[in-house]
């Protein structure tokens, strides 16, 4: 019977609905049109990291969200690993890329946490989402307003609702 287990589809990850909702939110066109986030591999990674950071900050606010936050970060790593391999990055350097991506996510998480606490998210977005390039007042305002609204909506959303993949509008 153990041999047959090799051919079974693994059960779905319970955090797939939430992770898929995060990815869908990060792919919304308004980020790239009104927000002027570069529609490049790096820009899409940065937008995913920004939305994921908002969700992780919400999950970290409660004891019941702590373990899902860890699992969500692991789900992100699994996704990035698959994306790198699909883009042709070899096994030998995938680990280095993943390590760099996790460091980038951790840095963004800290910067966004501090920016939100200080009521000044724009400098963190300029440094991380736009990688030091000023997109102009209107796109930056759009990104700040949209991410602050997401953060506020997440704060008012139950953890169970988030885990079901339902992010606030």
């Amino acid at each position: 019977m153990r041999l047959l287990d090799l051919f079974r589809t693994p059960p779905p990850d319970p955090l797939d609905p939430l992770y898929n909702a995060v990815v869908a939110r990060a792919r919304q066109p308004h980020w790239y049109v009104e927000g002027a986030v570069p529609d490049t591999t790096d820009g899409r990674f940065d937008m995913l990291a920004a939305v994921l950071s908002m969700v992780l900050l919400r999950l970290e606010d409660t004891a019941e969200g702590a373990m899902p936050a860890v699992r969500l970060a692991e789900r992100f790593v699994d996704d990035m690993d698959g994306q790198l391999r699909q883009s042709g990055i070899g096994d030998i350097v995938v680990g280095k890329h993943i390590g760099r991506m996790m460091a980038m996510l951790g840095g963004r998480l800290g910067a966004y946490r501090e920016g939100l606490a200080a009521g000044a998210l724009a400098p963190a977005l300029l440094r991380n989402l736009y990688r030091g390039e000023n997109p102009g007042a209107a796109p930056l305002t759009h990104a700040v307003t949209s991410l602050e609204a997401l953060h506020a909506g997440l704060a008012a959303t139950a953890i169970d609702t988030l885990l079901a993949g339902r992010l606030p509008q």
Side-chain angles (χ1 to χ4, degrees):
M1 285 304 254
R2 289 192 178 266
L3 181 61
L4 292 177
D5 287 342
L6 294 174
F7 298 102
R8 289 194 179 139
T9 303
D13 187 324
L15 285 173
D16 277 352
L18 177 55
Y19 187 74
N20 292 338
V22 167
V23 170
R25 179 65 59 95
R27 288 182 177 168
Q28 289 179 337
H30 75 93
W31 299 115
Y32 306 95
V33 177
E34 292 91 346
V37 173
D39 192 8
T40 61
T41 301
D42 287 343
R44 289 187 296 273
F45 171 83
D46 294 332
M47 195 64 246
L48 176 59
V51 173
L52 181 61
S53 292
M54 297 300 134
V55 173
L56 289 172
L57 290 172
R58 168 61 177 112
L59 292 174
E60 291 174 354
D61 276 348
T62 65
E64 71 177 311
M67 188 51 72
V70 170
R71 286 289 305 125
L72 188 61
E74 290 171 352
R75 179 66 182 83
F76 170 75
V77 169
D78 291 344
D79 184 30
M80 292 301 104
D81 182 272
Q83 296 292 331
L84 287 170
R85 291 175 192 280
Q86 192 173 8
S87 71
I89 304 281
D91 288 343
I92 295 172
V93 294
V94 165
K96 286 183 182 181
H97 283 282
I98 293 296
R100 209 171 318 130
M101 287 178 169
M102 285 308 296
M104 291 169 70
L105 177 63
R108 283 160 173 74
L109 190 60
Y112 297 150
R113 179 185 294 116
E114 291 171 12
L116 288 164
L121 188 56
L125 291 178
L126 281 171
R127 194 172 49 255
N128 295 291
L129 182 60
Y130 296 105
R131 297 190 180 205
E133 297 291 323
N134 190 333
L140 180 59
T141 299
H142 177 80
V144 168
T145 303
S146 298
L147 285 169
E148 285 176 344
L150 175 60
H151 183 258
L154 288 165
T157 304
I159 299 295
D160 288 344
T161 301
L162 294 177
L163 295 177
R166 294 190 305 271
L167 299 180
Q169 296 303 320

